[in-house]
Amino acid sequence: MKQYVLGVDGGGTKTQCALYDIEGNEVDLINWGPTNHEVLKGGYQGFKSEMTLMLNYLVKRNGLQTSQIVKSVFGMAGVDTRWQHKVISGVLKELGFNDFKLYNDAYLAIKAGSKNGWGIGVVNGTGCSVAGIDRTGGVLQVGGMGAITGDLGGGAYLGEKFIQSVYNYYFRCGAETCMLDMIPEELKVESKYDFIDNAIRKIEEGSISVRELNRIIFDAANKGDNLAIKILEELGRSLANSVNGCIRELKFDTPGLQVILSGSINTKAANPTITDTLKKCVTSANRDMAIEFILLDKPPVVGAVIWALEDIMDREQIIGLFMKY
């Protein structure tokens, strides 16, 4: 029977599932909804249900059995602790997977974007996380768990910072900002006393997404707004601290280190302040290292497939196959 490898990039907004044969040929690519147990109704049970639906759909439309998938890599948002890894591994085994790797989705950027298969991945999209793989195979994730680990980043965080900036100006002697003139129509009210009530109601109703409000911070920064620039610089420094933590804890003692930047905030932001600040802080703290920053130009799920194929073929062969992306 023909054999396959599976790569999954599971997030809080969307999921990509890629099926390849063991020669490295693409067979199928599925775009799915969220598979992060932290955002799904039912938590871990919700994760199991969603994965069951997605994987059943995959095998049925390709006319194969789960046993034909010989290697799998799952890069999943929400796999941040050893306990989460244990629970989700158990679910994957129940679904019929035996030979698989399970990591936080931040690791996929490294496999997809680095030349040697090791480095540091910085994800800043729906949420944010930093992960490192060193040349000995050592791994470390820094952050990715929200306020409890002091994470600053992600679209929702920046959307909240916009709301905070307006509210602070109204009621907490906050700085004046041009963001006051950029309030979306859905949040406009006759009186400032109605602003936060209206915002919370709209968010709870789902008629406005906090994550989508992040664009206002970038637009304000492009207008030279000091507060918006300060918010973006703070985020860049926070991500740099996580990268520097990875460098300190892992074995990056060779001359070159690649830092792979992925996620919509890193790769599509309308203002470069976050990435510029990140690069400046990391390079200044590691002057003895040659650090290369790379914007990921492939879907992260490619990293999951590459990782799965590493147990089957030489990495140079794999990179040659994926140069088309």
Side-chain angles (χ1 to χ4, degrees), residues 303-324:
V305 174
I306 290 173
W307 211 343
L309 287 170
E310 282 181 349
D311 291 334
I312 297 172
M313 61 176 67
D314 182 83
R315 184 168 174 83
E316 287 189 8
Q317 290 178 282
I318 298 170
I319 296 302
L321 288 170
F322 286 89
M323 286 296 289
K324 60 185 179 181

Side-chain angles (χ1 to χ4, degrees), residues 88-290:
I88 292 177
S89 291
V91 172
L92 294 175
K93 289 175 183 176
E94 289 178 18
L95 294 177
F97 293 96
N98 293 308
D99 194 349
F100 66 86
K101 294 182 176 74
L102 171 65
Y103 287 94
N104 183 270
D105 60 331
Y107 288 96
L108 300 185
I110 303 168
K111 292 295 184 178
S114 68
K115 296 174 184 175
N116 301 312
W118 54 267
I120 294 175
V122 180
V123 177
N124 194 8
T126 301
C128 70
S129 187
V130 172
I133 304 174
D134 67 23
R135 61 182 181 81
T136 70
V139 299
L140 177 69
Q141 178 185 337
V142 180
M145 287 158 271
I148 201 167
T149 50
D151 294 347
L152 304 183
Y157 167 80
L158 287 173
E160 289 173 351
K161 291 301 289 186
F162 158 69
I163 294 174
Q164 288 174 22
S165 298
V166 175
Y167 185 78
N168 285 347
Y169 175 77
Y170 284 157
F171 299 110
R172 303 179 67 192
C173 305
E176 189 169 359
T177 169
C178 72
M179 288 185 275
L180 294 162
D181 300 320
M182 303 168 74
I183 298 173
E185 195 64 38
E186 301 93 324
L187 296 182
K188 286 182 178 177
V189 288
E190 293 182 6
S191 167
K192 67 179 183 181
Y193 298 102
D194 298 326
F195 172 75
I196 200 65
D197 294 57
N198 189 46
I200 292 173
R201 179 169 61 86
K202 294 288 187 180
I203 292 166
E204 288 181 347
E205 290 175 348
S207 58
I208 193 165
S209 167
V210 174
R211 182 169 57 88
E212 293 173 0
L213 295 173
N214 75 78
R215 60 180 172 76
I216 298 172
I217 301 281
F218 294 110
D219 290 345
N222 286 336
K223 293 178 181 294
D225 186 83
N226 289 331
L227 179 58
I229 292 169
K230 181 180 178 181
I231 289 169
L232 298 180
E233 288 176 340
E234 181 184 29
L235 199 161
R237 286 192 295 270
S238 177
L239 291 172
N241 287 340
S242 295
V243 172
N244 290 335
C246 270
I247 293 173
R248 184 188 67 189
E249 296 295 323
L250 295 175
K251 298 183 185 300
F252 296 117
D253 52 1
T254 53
L257 169 64
Q258 293 182 321
V259 177
I260 316 300
L261 307 176
S262 66
S264 58
I265 302 296
N266 277 336
T267 61
K268 299 177 182 178
N271 181 281
T273 300
I274 295 173
T275 51
D276 286 351
T277 304
L278 165 67
K279 293 174 184 179
K280 180 180 178 180
C281 292
V282 172
T283 53
S284 64
N286 302 278
R287 297 185 184 279
D288 58 335
M289 300 181 71

